[in-house]
Amino acid sequence: MEGDGSDAPVTIKNIERELICPACKELFTHPLILPCQHSICHKCVKELLLTLDDSCNDMGSDNSNPSSPRLWVPSPSMDKIDRINRPGWKRNSLTPRTTTFPCPGCEHDVDLGERGINGLFRNFTLETIVERYRQAARAATAIMCDLCKPPPQESTKSCMDCSASYCNECFKIYHPWGTIKAQHEYVGPTTNFRPKILMCPEHETERINMYCELCRRPVCHLCKLGGNHSNHRVTTMSSAYKTLKEKLSKDIDYLIGKESQVKSQISELNLLMKETECNGERAKEDAITHFEKLFDILEERKSSVLKAIDASKKLRLDKFQTQMEEYQGLLENNGLVGYAQEVLKETDQSCFVQTAKQLHLRIQKATESLKSFRPAAQTSFEDYVVNTSKQTELLGELSFFSSGIDVPEINEEESKVYNNALISWHHPEKDKADSYVLEYRKINRDEEMLSWNEIEVCGTNKVISELESNCNYAFRVRAYKGSICSPCSRELILHTPPAPVFNFLFDEKCGYNNEHLLLNLKRDRVESRAGFNLLLAAERIQVGCYTSLDYIIGDVGITKGKHFWAFRVEPYSYLVKAGVASSDKLQEWLRSPRDAVSPRYEQDSGHDSGSEDACFDSSQRFTLVTIGMKKFFIPKSPTSSNEPENRVLPMPTSIGIFLDYDKGKVGFYDMDHMKCLYERQVDCSHTMYPAFALMGSGGIQLEESITAKYLEYQEDL
């Protein structure tokens, strides 16, 4: 148990940063040890889980009610807290991320498992050190007695069995001699009470007595006999204690013995920092000089171009002014016309000829000007448009000398966007790069470029979250070797889905035909088996059409908002239908064929490959498109061409479906280019479900959400 802490101010005065929670940035409060061995406050784990749970609810991926088809209903926050905390709570298959979150310390995803928070150990050692630090920090602040009548007295002891602090008088009253309480363990005043025995969180009545070397955590004998650690290598607690304490003591002694060396290295680092600061300022000055030279060249070219434009403008205006003066003279020739009319009245031939010759020349010149009007100059300055495209591209690539670091290239085939963006790249000289910086920014519709966001990455791929829906994003990456960086790669433009991603799995209960359909364990892939059962029913096809589509639907319904999901159809598939359908329409489709006539050719049933097109109605309660034989068939409609060549498209690698429940609209997208292939109205007065149907051989794979890889523990004890 803890000591009196008399030397605490000396030993813990410089360790405050080790006692700060990476999530709340405050001193730890009831710290828990995560699977990655980092510690985090109990309340911070709750908040992180609830935040992720809320985000899952917003996308319609939270728990569904027991009925089938199931409908997503958001749960109150207190219910979530109780669910996360209560013993034996198990995750639903629809909410795999409820107990998974990125560790604030190392940013790797950690999974708390089925028991959630209850499966974590409380870090009592860290909690004790924090308490010592608090006491050293407040020094004069006294801990008051918990049992005194107001006003309470200053406590002198704390009972570890009672988890309370007492003054001398109250301690004598509540721990009288000759009673069991007199045997309680007491220490100096403290607010940190810890159990005497560490119990197993998996088996709450069992004492911790072993240490799992693979998972690096204490376990009990039941964990080893039949629990999660049955095949793991374990050692006794005393052996683990001795080994770890020896290693830690040895490392501490080494650090203390190297104190003079550390001080020398600190001095060297200070010198290096000053040298770096001087070199950095010098590099900035050099860069400013280079840019000022570019500015001077641009200013010179700007002045030259503007002078040329002004000179051309002046010349043209002068020509227009001269021409305008000539035509102004025509207006003044009204007097000339009157004078000519008077000359025509002259009857003496010799006098008329003497005057009319010069007058005729003046009249003829004015007439020719009116017959052939042509502006003296052009108004367009098309020849004076400055072409800066090449220079802009060169300036955009302006960077430092790469010093041999090649430019990384973004892999467009592996990079994609769904619920998050996954950007992958390769580097010809991968071993020469220490790290990479991935930059991304949103491109507005008016082509306005926002500032770049930067993320430092150690590997060659990165998952980027919290991107806005229905937006274009530009991505680029550069490599770093020490303090030298390469030029940026070419930009990759990706378009995010038109709505948040809707998470669901295939429902194995509602309408699922296990004779024809094969569903995998994860329930994200289904295959149609056109095999022996279909041959057995062949004689029925001779007398009637009993062969129908085999339907399978999503296990979560939609009652509001905008949602998007994607899937892949296997290239060998003969006939697949995909889209949305209302709950009441599904009940019609999934009723037993023994109790009703086969709905294969019912006009509004959707079983016939063209039935959903025959009745184009805005009140239709479903919309399905046909996919098969590596083709995507656009349904017929009054507003589109019904020619086959205009309705049959190559099948996209991945197909997306966008449902706007509030506006009653559904769209089908080519995921590779995020392009809408087909859109129409649909009746959303009931709960809507993702719906699929298969006939013959075929397969459907739901698009997997993009998430960071789980942390792998490779270090042994």
Side-chain angles (χ1 to χ4, degrees):
M1 303 305 293
E2 66 176 332
D4 57 6
S6 60
D7 59 346
V10 177
T11 59
I12 67 173
K13 61 181 180 180
N14 295 323
I15 64 171
E16 180 177 357
R17 67 178 183 178
E18 302 294 334
L19 310 180
I20 299 297
C21 173
C24 63
K25 306 302 181 184
E26 298 178 356
L27 290 175
F28 282 106
T29 303
H30 304 307
L32 302 177
I33 303 175
L34 299 179
C36 60
Q37 302 304 305
H38 291 102
S39 294
I40 184 174
C41 295
H42 183 272
K43 61 180 178 60
C44 295
V45 179
K46 280 187 181 180
E47 292 173 358
L48 285 170
L49 292 175
L50 291 177
T51 300
L52 292 177
D53 204 17
D54 289 337
S55 65
C56 291
N57 284 341
D58 293 339
M59 295 186 292
S61 60
D62 200 13
N63 291 341
S64 308
N65 61 35
S67 62
S68 183
R70 289 175 285 180
L71 174 63
W72 165 73
V73 180
S75 304
S77 296
M78 290 307 299
D79 292 344
K80 298 176 192 172
I81 293 176
D82 293 340
R83 186 180 69 233
I84 291 173
N85 284 330
R86 70 170 178 259
W89 174 75
K90 296 184 180 294
R91 290 183 297 160
N92 186 286
S93 60
L94 299 179
T95 57
R97 293 183 295 173
T98 303
T99 58
T100 302
F101 64 94
C103 170
C106 60
E107 297 185 356
H108 286 88
D109 280 0
V110 291
D111 192 347
L112 302 187
E114 296 181 350
R115 290 182 57 81
I117 295 179
N118 291 319
L120 299 178
F121 280 105
R122 188 168 161 184
N123 196 336
F124 290 108
T125 302
L126 177 58
E127 195 170 337
T128 300
I129 297 173
V130 171
E131 176 60 22
R132 290 176 182 170
Y133 177 83
R134 292 182 190 275
Q135 292 183 12
R138 59 180 174 245
T141 304
I143 298 176
M144 308 309 292
C145 177
D146 295 325
L147 281 301
C148 277
K149 295 181 180 179
Q153 301 294 317
E154 182 178 345
S155 65
T156 58
K157 299 179 181 65
S158 292
C159 179
M160 302 306 294
D161 295 276
C162 300
S163 298
S165 297
Y166 301 88
C167 64
N168 286 331
E169 294 300 323
C170 290
F171 187 81
K172 294 177 181 178
I173 295 174
Y174 291 95
H175 296 78
W177 288 103
T179 63
I180 296 178
K181 287 190 174 183
Q183 306 299 321
H184 284 188
E185 180 181 2
Y186 63 90
V187 296
T190 183
T191 57
N192 179 42
F193 300 98
R194 52 191 283 184
K196 295 182 178 181
I197 301 174
L198 196 60
M199 307 303 290
C200 177
E202 295 286 337
H203 312 93
E204 299 176 355
T205 59
E206 298 297 326
R207 181 176 178 176
I208 291 297
N209 55 8
M210 287 182 285
Y211 184 82
C212 178
E213 297 182 356
L214 180 62
C215 300
R216 297 186 297 173
R217 62 176 290 168
V219 295
C220 69
H221 70 281
L222 291 182
C223 293
K224 173 60 179 173
L225 291 176
N228 297 329
H229 307 269
S230 57
N231 296 323
H232 296 180
R233 180 181 176 182
V234 299
T235 184
T236 62
M237 188 61 67
S238 59
S239 177
Y241 170 80
K242 181 179 179 181
T243 302
L244 287 172
K245 192 164 188 177
E246 287 179 355
K247 287 184 177 181
L248 185 59
S249 300
K250 184 178 179 180
D251 292 339
I252 292 174
D253 292 339
Y254 177 81
L255 290 177
I256 294 175
K258 296 292 183 179
E259 182 177 359
S260 59
Q261 180 181 343
V262 172
K263 290 181 179 179
S264 174
Q265 291 172 346
I266 290 175
S267 300
E268 183 179 354
L269 289 173
N270 285 326
L271 293 175
L272 292 176
M273 289 175 62
K274 292 179 181 180
E275 183 178 352
T276 301
E277 187 173 354
C278 294
N279 291 338
E281 292 299 323
R282 190 179 301 111
K284 285 176 60 177
E285 293 174 0
D286 292 341
I288 291 173
T289 301
H290 287 296
F291 277 103
E292 286 178 348
K293 289 181 180 179
L294 291 177
F295 295 154
D296 292 340
I297 295 173
L298 288 174
E299 284 295 334
E300 182 182 352
R301 295 301 302 157
K302 175 184 174 182
S303 176
S304 176
V305 169
L306 294 181
K307 285 180 180 179
I309 294 175
D310 287 338
S312 178
K313 181 180 70 173
K314 184 177 183 304
L315 179 61
R316 299 183 191 193
L317 291 176
D318 290 343
K319 289 183 178 181
F320 281 128
Q321 184 64 33
T322 302
Q323 189 176 22
M324 188 173 62
E325 290 175 356
E326 292 178 358
Y327 278 84
Q328 190 69 32
L330 293 179
L331 293 178
E332 297 173 356
N333 283 338
N334 289 334
L336 177 63
V337 173
Y339 172 65
Q341 290 175 343
E342 292 298 325
V343 170
L344 288 174
K345 295 178 182 180
E346 177 62 52
T347 57
D348 187 291
Q349 294 181 358
S350 58
C351 292
F352 177 80
V353 171
Q354 181 183 14
T355 305
K357 182 61 178 177
Q358 182 64 30
L359 180 62
H360 179 260
L361 293 175
R362 294 175 62 189
I363 292 295
Q364 190 177 25
K365 183 178 180 181
T367 303
E368 290 176 354
S369 298
L370 291 174
K371 288 182 179 179
S372 59
F373 174 75
R374 181 176 298 173
Q378 294 183 352
T379 59
S380 173
F381 279 77
E382 292 179 354
D383 296 337
Y384 288 85
V385 175
V386 180
N387 182 9
T388 61
S389 57
K390 185 181 297 184
Q391 290 76 10
T392 301
E393 183 177 355
L394 290 174
L395 288 174
E397 297 176 356
L398 185 64
S399 182
F400 306 106
F401 291 111
S402 62
S403 299
I405 303 180
D406 293 330
V407 181
E409 298 178 7
I410 294 182
N411 190 324
E412 297 186 11
E413 294 182 357
E414 295 182 2
S415 299
K416 60 180 180 178
V417 64
Y418 190 40
N419 60 316
N420 296 319
L422 172 62
I423 308 299
S424 298
W425 59 90
H426 62 269
H427 197 208
E429 299 292 339
K430 182 178 179 181
D431 56 337
K432 291 187 177 181
D434 296 332
S435 62
Y436 301 88
V437 170
L438 176 63
E439 298 181 344
Y440 68 96
R441 64 181 177 184
K442 186 176 75 170
I443 305 175
N444 290 341
R445 299 186 184 279
D446 55 0
E447 299 297 326
E448 178 187 356
M449 295 290 189
L450 303 179
S451 59
W452 290 97
N453 300 292
E454 294 186 354
I455 303 176
E456 185 174 357
V457 186
C458 294
T460 56
N461 56 66
K462 180 64 179 178
V463 174
I464 301 176
S465 57
E466 299 181 359
L467 300 180
E468 295 184 22
S469 300
N470 199 25
C471 291
N472 282 318
Y473 280 86
F475 302 88
R476 67 185 187 186
V477 64
R478 62 179 186 268
Y480 271 85
K481 176 65 175 178
S483 58
I484 305 298
C485 71
S486 71
C488 290
S489 67
R490 288 189 176 274
E491 294 183 10
L492 172 65
I493 308 297
L494 293 177
H495 191 89
T496 56
V501 170
F502 180 67
N503 291 305
F504 66 91
L505 299 173
F506 288 122
D507 195 328
E508 81 281 16
K509 297 179 180 178
C510 183
Y512 172 64
N513 186 346
N514 58 8
E515 293 184 357
H516 296 168
L517 299 180
L518 178 63
L519 189 63
N520 68 349
L521 294 177
K522 294 173 63 177
R523 294 196 290 124
D524 62 352
R525 178 181 176 84
V526 64
E527 294 182 2
S528 174
R529 299 178 292 186
F532 191 65
N533 291 329
L534 185 61
L535 293 177
L536 289 176
E539 66 276 7
R540 301 172 62 189
I541 300 178
Q542 297 175 359
V543 297
C545 291
Y546 290 91
T547 304
S548 63
L549 293 166
D550 292 307
Y551 280 88
I552 189 167
I553 65 174
D555 58 1
V556 184
I558 298 173
T559 58
K560 63 179 180 179
K562 299 178 180 179
H563 305 273
F564 183 85
W565 61 94
F567 58 93
R568 298 190 303 274
V569 176
E570 295 297 339
Y572 64 81
S573 300
Y574 172 67
L575 191 155
V576 171
K577 284 182 171 291
V580 295
S582 64
S583 55
D584 59 331
K585 193 64 182 177
L586 288 172
Q587 290 178 1
E588 296 179 15
W589 288 349
L590 303 178
R591 61 188 175 184
S592 174
R594 297 181 180 178
D595 301 333
V597 179
S598 172
R600 174 173 168 78
Y601 292 105
E602 181 186 348
Q603 185 182 29
D604 195 32
S605 69
H607 286 259
D608 185 21
S609 62
S611 64
E612 66 267 31
D613 312 324
C615 182
F616 191 85
D617 184 359
S618 61
S619 63
Q620 189 165 287
R621 295 168 293 169
F622 70 99
T623 293
L624 300 175
V625 296
T626 302
I627 309 151
M629 301 180 69
K630 300 182 180 180
K631 301 294 182 182
F632 181 92
F633 298 87
I634 296 180
K636 297 178 182 179
S637 68
T639 59
S640 64
S641 174
N642 292 326
E643 296 298 327
E645 60 269 17
N646 297 325
R647 295 180 53 237
V648 181
L649 303 176
M651 183 179 73
T653 305
S654 182
I655 301 170
I657 298 180
F658 167 50
L659 175 64
D660 188 339
Y661 184 93
D662 300 329
K663 293 185 178 180
K665 185 181 295 184
V666 62
F668 298 82
Y669 283 73
D670 178 354
M671 279 287 292
D672 292 337
H673 306 93
M674 204 57 69
K675 176 184 176 183
C676 184
L677 304 176
Y678 174 65
E679 186 177 68
R680 65 153 296 167
Q681 295 294 124
V682 64
D683 181 5
C684 292
S685 57
H686 295 77
T687 303
M688 305 299 291
Y689 290 86
F692 304 86
L694 301 93
M695 177 184 289
S697 297
I700 302 173
Q701 172 70 56
L702 298 181
E703 196 70 44
E704 185 178 0
S705 297
I706 300 174
T707 58
K709 295 182 179 179
Y710 286 171
L711 175 63
E712 296 181 1
Y713 309 110
Q714 299 179 348
E715 296 182 4
D716 291 334
L717 179 65

